[in-house]
């Protein structure tokens, strides 16, 4: 199942742990990307992560994303929604 996850920032990261925590986050994201769970990842204009991922369900995706250091420590959360194929072209009668 293809899903879209959009980050929400919950609190600021303390300066003294920011560098190490963000390195841990990048390492965890790279591992999920290497496994094929994360297909694409971007930052929006507010520097919040926007992720396209593959998972068995929204519940499974939530479980996976909850393991990310920033989520696990309560700095961010994700809104996750299912993506379905666009069927609008069928209205044209040519597909």
């Amino acid at each position: 199942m293809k899903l879209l996850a959009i980050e929400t920032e919950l609190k600021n990261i303390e300066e003294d742990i920011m560098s190490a925590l963000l390195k841990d986050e990048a390492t965890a994201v790279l591992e999920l990307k290497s496994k094929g769970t994360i297909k694409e990842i971007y930052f929006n204009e507010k520097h919040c992560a926007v992720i396209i991922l593959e998972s068995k369900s929204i519940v499974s995706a939530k479980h996976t994303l909850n393991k990310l250091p920033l989520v696990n420590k309560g700095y961010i959360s994700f809104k996750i929604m299912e993506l379905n194929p666009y069927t609008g072209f069928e209205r044209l009668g040519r597909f």
Side-chain angles (χ1 to χ4, degrees):
M1 162 182 296
K2 190 172 281 195
L3 302 161
L4 177 69
I6 301 173
E7 172 197 338
T8 299
E9 291 186 9
L10 302 175
K11 63 182 180 180
N12 291 326
I13 303 171
E14 298 83 6
E15 286 291 323
D16 58 327
I17 64 167
M18 183 182 293
S19 180
L21 185 57
L22 293 178
K23 185 176 180 180
D24 291 346
E25 183 78 1
T27 299
V29 168
L30 180 58
E31 183 177 326
L32 291 174
K33 186 122 173 63
S34 297
K35 289 180 178 178
T37 303
I38 291 179
K39 298 298 186 184
E40 300 176 47
I41 184 165
Y42 305 94
F43 284 124
N44 67 13
E45 71 280 356
K46 295 180 181 178
H47 202 72
C48 289
V50 178
I51 301 172
I52 296 175
L53 65 151
E54 291 281 340
S55 190
K56 293 178 185 176
S57 66
I58 290 176
V59 171
S60 178
K62 186 172 181 72
H63 180 72
T64 298
L65 293 176
N66 283 345
K67 293 178 183 177
L68 292 173
L70 291 177
V71 178
N72 185 271
K73 296 186 184 314
Y75 292 101
I76 65 172
S77 66
F78 282 95
K79 178 179 180 183
I80 303 170
M81 59 193 86
E82 184 178 340
L83 296 176
N84 296 301
Y86 178 72
T87 59
F89 295 128
E90 294 171 1
R91 298 179 200 121
L92 302 175
R94 295 184 265 174
F95 297 90

